[in-house]
């Protein structure tokens, strides 16, 4: 019976996405919903950016095995990423009227930097989307009582998400996110209330977690621990900023003001609601301690699903898996669209003869199809956990794309040469630390790469330049809401 409810919900949500596809008339509609989304819809899509499988399955499992310090990357780093985007990047990027984040690198630094950063961004999405597809396989396997294998569940999830993303783009994502957020919020609040009563009340769960040291957050005053803590926080907090899915939400807004404050509110909501699965997960250690101990040895990501299946009434099961599917589907569709649009716009389009808007739209859709295939290959062959896939995905953009973006917006003296040196230094040090460094380096690979990227930008921009640099684009970023007109002339 549960499986049929899940199938019915899945079919309805896909149908909603296909209905939304009727709004797609051109590439702007497909990539950024025609820049027509109101405040509440942008807030919802920002919230749904991060609220995926790792928020419901991955983070609680990591928390139960450790404490708050072990989840500094997510939700703490992820929430801060969205808030920082709203406060410092949404306004200047919105003024540029861009289609992709790669377009910023092209205007600010030129074609070489555009290609390198766009490739890094596309590659980073393999881990993120792979985590969502893996989670879908787990869900279908659980609700079907093993009748559907994890691999088959992954294929079902990937194909159905591809269908409405292929046709509907950002419009389909925005409208389905709106429906799914309602399911997520009410479903998780209901489950939270149920487990609270089963575990002896909210205060009892919190007191038990405090006594077990679960609320320990700050590292000890040991330099290596401090660096590791900072590196973990920066991976998601900064590495996720130069991402197409975050950028699309900014560009989809009706106005600059909406782009700014919807990002801040969406990030704040994510931070608050991410603690509900944590509460539910830790409650499981009081309700079914033997089950938790057994799953911690085999697959800790299954603690919440098994708790709901074994100890909760049917209505709670329907609401939980509805909320879980909503979270995964909303995140997966957005992160499937984002790299496809970036690769089409910033890698393929400049290599081809001039395309009409209709031809470009078709190319974006076909790239979405191909990228789905690569995601499936990655997801079916990786042994990483959902939380691990998500956390590692953004090391790529942290060491290659964040510094050129931040300095491109806020440092006038940043140059093309500085950006290229930054990318080369960041990626080289990161990969060198991973493959040639010690197994447990004093400075984590992604943090070493970030520091090298920072040094490369400063040194590369201050030394004599191999070619003159035009700073007009930077100047126009900070001249008010009508700067996009001057930006066009500056190009």
């Amino acid at each position: 019976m549960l499986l049929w409810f899940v199938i019915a919900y899945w079919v309805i949500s896909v149908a909603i996405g296909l209905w939304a596809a009727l709004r797609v008339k051109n590439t702007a509609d497909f990539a950024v919903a025609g820049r027509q989304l109101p405040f509440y819809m942008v807030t919802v899509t920002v919230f749904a950016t991060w609220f995926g499988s790792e928020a419901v399955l991955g983070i609680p499992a990591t928390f139960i095995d450790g404490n708050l310090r072990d989840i500094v990357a997510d939700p703490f780093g992820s929430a801060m990423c969205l808030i920082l985007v709203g406060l410092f990047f949404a306004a200047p990027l919105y003024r540029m009227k861009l289609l992709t984040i790669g377009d910023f690198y092209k205007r600010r630094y030129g074609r070489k930097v555009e290609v390198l950063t766009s490739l890094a961004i596309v590659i980073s999405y393999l881990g993120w989307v792979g985590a969502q597809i893996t989670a879908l396989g787990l869900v279908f396997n659980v609700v079907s009582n093993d009748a559907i294998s994890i691999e088959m569940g992954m294929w079902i999830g990937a194909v159905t998400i591809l269908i409405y993303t292929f046709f509907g783009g950002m419009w389909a994502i925005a409208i389905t996110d709106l429906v799914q957020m309602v399911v997520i919020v009410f479903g998780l609040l209901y489950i939270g209330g149920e487990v609270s009563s089963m575990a002896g009340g909210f205060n009892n769960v919190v007191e038990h977690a405090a006594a077990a040291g679960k609320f320990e957050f700050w590292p000890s005053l040991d330099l290596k621990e401090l660096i590791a803590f900072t590196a973990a926080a920066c991976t998601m907090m900064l590495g996720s900023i130069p991402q197409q899915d975050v950028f699309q939400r900014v560009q989809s807004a009706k106005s600059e003001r909406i782009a700014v404050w919807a990002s801040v509110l969406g990030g704040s909501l994510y931070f608050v609601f991410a603690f509900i699965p944590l509460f539910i997960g830790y409650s499981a250690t009081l309700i079914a301690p033997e089950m938790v101990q057994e799953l911690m040895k085999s697959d800790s990501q299954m603690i919440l699903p098994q708790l709901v299946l074994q100890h909760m009434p049917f209505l709670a099961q329907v609401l939980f898996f509805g909320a879980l599917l909503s979270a995964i589907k909303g995140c997966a569709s957005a992160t499937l669209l984002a790299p496809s649009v970036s690769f089409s716009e910033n890698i393929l389009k400049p290599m081809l003869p001039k395309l009409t808007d209709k031809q470009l739209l078709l190319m974006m859709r076909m790239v979405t199809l191909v990228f789905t295939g690569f995601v499936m290959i990655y997801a079916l062959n990786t042994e990483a956990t959902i939380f691990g896939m998500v956390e590692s995905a953004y090391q790529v953009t942290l060491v290659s794309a964040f510094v050129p973006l931040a300095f491109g917006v806020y440092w006038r003296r940043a140059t093309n040469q500085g950006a290229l040196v930054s990318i080369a230094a960041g990626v080289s040090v990161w990969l060198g630390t991973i493959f040639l460094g010690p197994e447990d380096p004093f400075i984590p690979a992604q943090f070493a790469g970030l520091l090298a990227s920072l040094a490369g930008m400063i040194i590369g921009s201050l030394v004599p330049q191999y070619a003159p640099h035009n700073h007009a684009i930077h100047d126009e970023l900070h001249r008010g809401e009508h700067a996009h007109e001057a930006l066009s002339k500056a190009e």
Side-chain angles (χ1 to χ4, degrees):
M1 182 64 72
L2 176 60
L3 177 60
W4 286 111
F5 270 97
V6 167
I7 291 173
Y9 172 73
W10 194 255
V11 171
I12 291 170
S13 60
V14 171
I16 292 173
L18 290 174
W19 169 76
L22 298 175
R23 293 173 175 261
V24 177
K25 307 299 182 185
N26 52 49
T27 54
D29 291 335
F30 187 78
V32 292
R35 297 170 65 93
Q36 292 296 314
L37 298 186
F39 180 80
Y40 70 92
M41 289 190 74
V42 179
T43 302
V44 166
T45 60
V46 168
F47 171 85
T49 304
W50 299 142
F51 211 95
S53 60
E54 75 293 341
V56 183
L57 300 178
I59 299 174
T62 305
F63 175 72
I64 292 170
D65 194 38
N67 51 35
L68 287 180
R69 183 165 56 250
D70 294 302
I71 57 171
V72 63
D74 195 2
F76 293 93
S78 295
M80 279 304 301
C81 163
L82 298 173
I83 293 170
L84 290 174
V85 166
L87 294 177
F88 297 104
F89 295 96
L93 291 178
Y94 187 87
R95 293 169 196 153
M96 295 182 75
K97 305 292 184 184
L98 307 172
L99 194 64
T100 69
I101 187 69
D103 289 343
F104 168 82
Y105 295 104
K106 177 177 65 177
R107 291 193 188 184
R108 186 66 171 86
Y109 299 116
R111 173 65 177 161
K112 292 179 181 178
V113 176
E114 173 195 13
V115 171
L116 292 173
T117 52
S118 296
L119 284 174
I121 290 168
V122 170
I123 291 170
S124 73
Y125 277 103
L126 283 174
W128 185 268
V129 188
Q132 313 312 313
I133 299 301
T134 300
L136 285 174
L138 288 172
V139 172
F140 282 115
N141 176 255
V142 170
V143 299
S144 68
N145 196 24
D146 291 329
I148 299 175
S149 67
I150 292 177
E151 290 77 14
M152 181 58 68
M154 291 168 67
W155 279 108
I156 293 172
V159 171
T160 50
I161 289 174
L162 171 65
I163 289 172
Y164 78 81
T165 305
F166 182 92
F167 291 104
M170 192 61 196
W171 266 118
I173 291 168
I175 293 176
T176 53
D177 279 352
L178 183 62
V179 176
Q180 287 158 186
M181 184 177 180
V182 174
V183 178
I184 291 170
V185 170
F186 285 101
L188 289 180
L189 287 175
Y190 177 81
I191 298 297
E194 287 288 309
V195 299
S196 178
S197 61
M198 295 171 65
F202 177 82
N203 290 336
N204 183 53
V205 176
V206 172
E207 290 170 4
H208 193 280
K214 296 298 177 181
F215 295 150
E216 294 179 5
F217 181 72
W218 299 108
S220 62
L221 295 178
D222 175 80
L223 183 57
K224 184 176 181 180
E225 286 193 26
L226 286 169
I227 294 175
F229 178 83
T230 305
C234 287
T235 300
M236 293 290 285
M237 181 169 58
L238 304 182
S240 301
I241 289 177
Q243 285 294 345
Q244 177 63 16
D245 58 324
V246 176
F247 173 83
Q248 280 176 308
R249 279 133 180 83
V250 171
Q251 292 296 316
S252 298
K254 274 187 175 182
S255 68
E256 180 181 317
R257 186 177 182 85
I258 289 175
V260 171
W261 294 111
S263 298
V264 173
L265 179 58
S268 302
L269 288 174
Y270 171 75
F271 183 75
V272 172
F273 278 96
F275 280 89
I276 299 178
L278 292 183
F279 176 81
I280 297 171
Y282 191 77
S283 296
T285 64
L286 303 181
I287 298 169
E290 294 181 358
M291 180 200 75
V292 172
Q293 289 179 3
E294 188 65 29
L295 288 173
M296 288 300 293
K297 297 175 184 177
S298 56
D299 188 357
S300 58
Q301 297 169 144
M302 297 304 297
I303 290 175
L304 264 69
Q306 290 299 332
L307 171 70
V308 173
L309 283 175
Q310 296 180 26
H311 298 275
M312 292 195 173
F314 182 72
L315 176 60
Q317 294 176 20
V318 171
L319 289 174
F320 173 78
F321 285 103
L324 178 56
L325 285 172
S326 294
I328 297 170
K329 193 160 70 65
C331 187
S333 57
T335 50
L336 188 61
L337 175 68
S340 304
V341 171
S342 287
F343 191 80
S344 301
E345 174 72 13
N346 300 111
I347 306 298
L348 291 182
K349 180 183 173 182
M351 299 169 58
L352 300 172
K354 186 173 179 61
L355 301 175
T356 65
D357 191 77
K358 187 176 181 180
Q359 290 172 327
L360 179 59
L361 176 59
L362 176 61
M363 184 172 68
M364 287 181 177
R365 286 172 165 160
M366 297 310 298
V367 171
T368 304
L369 174 63
V370 174
F371 187 76
T372 304
F374 281 109
V375 168
M376 285 302 301
I377 294 171
Y378 173 82
L380 289 169
N381 290 280
T382 184
E383 296 181 359
T385 64
I386 290 172
F387 187 82
M389 278 191 277
V390 170
E391 188 176 17
S392 63
Y394 292 111
Q395 292 187 21
V396 183
T397 44
L398 176 68
V399 303
S400 61
F402 171 70
V403 169
L405 174 64
F407 276 67
V409 173
Y410 285 104
W411 193 38
R412 188 178 186 277
R413 298 187 67 178
T415 65
N416 304 353
Q417 178 175 287
L420 289 170
V421 175
S422 174
I423 295 168
V427 173
S428 299
V429 170
W430 173 58
L431 292 177
T433 305
I434 291 175
F435 294 109
L436 302 177
E439 187 173 334
D440 183 24
F442 187 80
I443 300 178
Q446 75 269 28
F447 196 62
L450 174 63
L451 295 177
S453 177
L454 179 64
M457 171 59 77
I458 295 173
I459 295 171
S461 296
L462 294 180
V463 300
Q465 303 296 297
Y466 72 89
H469 182 82
N470 183 2
H471 296 282
I473 295 295
H474 173 273
D475 295 341
E476 297 301 339
L477 282 173
H478 304 280
R479 289 184 182 174
E481 296 186 6
H482 300 293
H484 63 276
E485 297 176 2
L487 278 170
S488 299
K489 296 177 182 178
E491 290 181 33

